[in-house]
Structures are given as C-alpha cells and as structure tokens.
Amino acid sequence: MTNSTIGKDLKRRTLLKSAIPLLACATGLPAHAGPIVQPAFGSRARSESVLMAALEPDARLGFLVRLCRYPESGVTWAWAQIFDRHQVYSFTDPAWGATRDATAVEADRVTYASAQGEAFIAFERLGSRASPASAAMRLNVGLHRNPFAPDGQGTVPVTIEAAFQPHSSADGLLDGRSEIKGQVNARIVVAGRERKLVAQGHFHEQQQETPRFVDPFIYFSGWGERINFTLILGVPSSGNGAASSGGIVFQDGKPRRSTGLSIEPPSASRRFSVKLDDGTVLEGRADARYVYGQRIYGAWRSSSIVTGTFAGRRMTGMLNDWLPARIPYIPVSPGAHAPSP
C-alpha cells in the first residue's frame, strides 16, 4: 500500500467516524400508519429535497441518493442509484413516510430522514445551508439490478455511509436552492461486497412551495481537475416564454456566472457550450457512461452519468433531461445516436 493510499484511507475513516454519530437516530424513525399519497401533479405544497452524489473520475464507481419531503402530506419521495463497474442498481419510491413538521432549513444543524420497515435514508448537514461545514448520509435499502427499476425496494441489499467535505458553494441558482461541490469519502456495500470511494461529489438542498417537475428542464452538474459547474436550462410549461438558462462555473477556484447553456439532445455523446456573463463561450463534450431513469408522475426522466471534457479539462457528472420533447436542443452532430433505455 502506498503512502498516498494510506493517507486517503485514513482520511476516509476519520470523516466517516465523525459522520456516523450524527445520523445515529436514523434507525429510530417513527412508523407511519395508513396510506401515504404523493401530492398531485402540479399542486402547490411545501417540499424539501436533499441530494448527495459522488463519482470516480472515470465513473467506474459512484452513487446518487435523494430524499424529497412533503411534510404537509406526510410523504417522502426517495431514490438511490449505485454505479459499479458498468452495472446500475436503482431504487425509487414516492410513498415513504415523513413527519409533518417542516424542516428548519436555515438552521446550522439539519437532518432529513425517512424510513420504511428496516430500510432508511438519512442526511445531516452542519453549518449554513448556503455554505455548509460538512454533510453526512446513511442508507440501508434494497435496490434493483436494473437502471429503470419499478417503484419499491429490490432484492439487492445496499448500505452506504458517506461524509461530504465542501470546497465550493453556490446559492441562488434557483430560489431556495444551494449547490455545493466537495470531496466524498464513502463505504458502499452491495450484496455483501464492500467498496471504498474517495472522490469528488455534489450536495444540494432545495426548499420550495411551487410544484416540482412541471416545466421541462435540463440539469447538468459536473466536476473535474480544477473545474466544477452546475448548469440549468428551463422551459416554461405554458409555452408563453423562451427557454432560460444559467448556472455557475468554478475554474481554478474562481466562480464565473453562466448566462446560457446550449446542448445536443440525449445521445451517447453530446456537444454542449456554456456562455459566461462576460461573453466568453466554453465548449465541452459529455459521453454517457451509464443511462438510467426515475419514473416521475408516470413518465421516465432521462438521466445519465457522463464523462468528457469541458473548457479543455476532464470532467465527470450528472446530466438529466426532463420532458425532452419540449426542450430546444442544438442540432445533433453527425454519427450521434441515442442511448438505449
């Protein structure tokens, strides 16, 4: 074992040891009686989402875990994906329980958690929402060996213990939303097989009253050597307005605002360009390493884990298209083809 490997393993174990006590309450969540129903499509309701993701630079190993609480309805929407050596393990369920107390999202210590039977997912963030000091996540859920899995738990037992240490943050890309990049140190166990992950990753929270997944959009979050970014392109569902896009790009630690994202439609390899607020245009290419989806209000959201280049630097990340038939993509380059669902 090299000195570098020893150092990474020591840091991983130290961060995980500090994170686990924070989430000790996760297995003691209260049970919920009676039917749990997700808010109807397009309805206004307070919702609180939190997500953590991490990927190796070549995307051979990684994970994505998300909770979205609807405290007024007492329901949580949960999903998780594991990406492991060309295999995708997936889980989604829009009907886990939630306490009916709204989360104090602006507090300096915040927990989001939900459980169903022995399964649970829990997050904790220390420090402010816009600029956290650290975050942690634990998961114990059965996943499906299927990138487009049916709702409900699968038969593959998975546990994750993860600690997140931020290195850059961005607030205000959308109302009530924070986007944080940093290092993730995780222990992932899939069907008894343990993986250790030390990689760059992403953490975000969003609290809102407006309906979710009504307007078509593209969400693109990526990171690499001396670069990371979060980009959003949205289209009004009414059809009465032009698409708008924005985001933030960190180059060598310096934030630069984006005013435009142009990208090809979903395919195995997609060209994209990002216009910055000073008029600079940065070019990139995103190659799909994994294609997967979550079923949202009866429709599949096309999602992919990508690697590629951006502004001449290697990157990896998450690229999602919601309602792609209504998104104004740029023309497809010759030879591109759509990934298989």
Side-chain angles (χ1 to χ4, degrees):
M1 182 179 288
T2 66
N3 288 337
S4 175
T5 303
I6 293 172
K8 284 185 176 181
D9 189 59
L10 178 61
K11 187 172 184 180
R12 181 191 70 84
R13 286 185 281 114
T14 300
L15 287 173
L16 287 176
K17 186 177 180 181
S18 66
I20 290 170
L22 301 178
L23 298 175
C25 64
T27 56
L29 295 171
H32 289 76
I36 297 174
V37 181
Q38 184 183 1
F41 176 78
S43 62
R44 292 182 61 89
R46 179 186 173 92
S47 60
E48 307 161 351
S49 68
V50 58
L51 178 147
M52 186 184 293
L55 295 163
E56 290 182 338
D58 60 3
R60 282 173 54 83
L61 177 64
F63 70 86
L64 180 158
V65 180
R66 178 182 184 267
L67 289 179
C68 185
R69 301 181 70 251
Y70 291 88
E72 295 170 6
S73 303
V75 64
T76 297
W77 195 344
W79 70 51
Q81 275 79 34
I82 302 290
F83 312 100
D84 186 8
R85 277 63 171 175
H86 310 294
Q87 178 64 51
V88 181
Y89 300 88
S90 292
F91 158 77
T92 61
D93 197 321
W96 275 25
T99 62
R100 293 184 179 269
D101 298 323
T103 302
V105 297
E106 299 303 333
D108 285 340
R109 182 168 183 170
V110 174
T111 299
Y112 304 88
S114 188
Q116 188 175 75
E118 296 298 314
F120 67 85
I121 299 173
F123 292 81
E124 185 153 27
R125 179 249 299 159
L126 297 181
S128 70
R129 180 186 59 80
S131 185
S134 64
M137 186 273 296
R138 291 185 68 197
L139 171 149
N140 178 38
V141 177
L143 272 65
H144 298 266
R145 192 183 177 96
N146 182 348
F148 291 83
D151 286 344
Q153 291 193 65
T155 59
V156 181
V158 173
T159 62
I160 304 176
E161 298 170 350
F164 178 88
Q165 194 67 43
H167 60 57
S168 63
S169 62
D171 197 25
L173 298 183
L174 293 173
D175 290 344
R177 185 177 179 114
S178 57
E179 303 278 352
I180 319 294
K181 298 297 192 296
Q183 178 172 286
V184 173
N185 293 258
R187 175 178 176 266
I188 304 170
V189 181
V190 179
R193 186 180 69 253
E194 180 176 329
R195 304 287 197 209
K196 295 178 181 179
L197 176 66
V198 180
Q200 290 194 64
H202 175 105
F203 179 79
H204 78 236
E205 298 170 76
Q206 185 175 10
Q207 179 266 319
Q208 66 186 62
E209 301 287 339
T210 55
R212 291 179 183 265
F213 297 103
V214 172
D215 299 335
F217 67 85
I218 295 173
Y219 177 77
F220 191 6
S221 174
W223 48 88
E225 186 177 357
R226 304 191 316 280
I227 193 167
N228 70 71
F229 57 91
T230 304
L231 304 168
I232 299 170
L233 185 152
V235 182
S237 58
S238 64
N240 295 326
S244 62
S245 58
I248 191 164
V249 178
F250 283 85
Q251 290 181 289
D252 298 316
K254 298 178 181 179
R256 307 178 71 185
R257 285 283 171 175
S258 163
T259 59
L261 167 65
S262 300
I263 190 168
E264 294 179 326
S267 67
S269 184
R270 306 169 70 174
R271 294 178 299 127
F272 67 93
S273 64
V274 176
K275 185 177 181 180
L276 303 180
D277 56 7
D278 63 0
T280 303
V281 176
L282 305 176
E283 304 286 343
R285 190 196 76 252
D287 300 325
R289 290 291 178 259
Y290 301 93
V291 176
Y292 63 101
Q294 295 93 10
R295 197 159 181 83
I296 300 171
Y297 291 115
W300 286 105
R301 183 180 75 167
S302 174
S303 303
S304 58
I305 297 300
V306 299
T307 60
T309 59
F310 180 43
R313 303 180 187 187
R314 297 291 302 173
M315 66 86 188
T316 189
M318 308 175 292
L319 178 51
N320 305 324
D321 300 74
W322 174 238
L323 304 177
R326 293 155 56 189
I327 294 175
Y329 296 103
I330 61 176
V332 178
S333 60
H337 60 279
S340 299

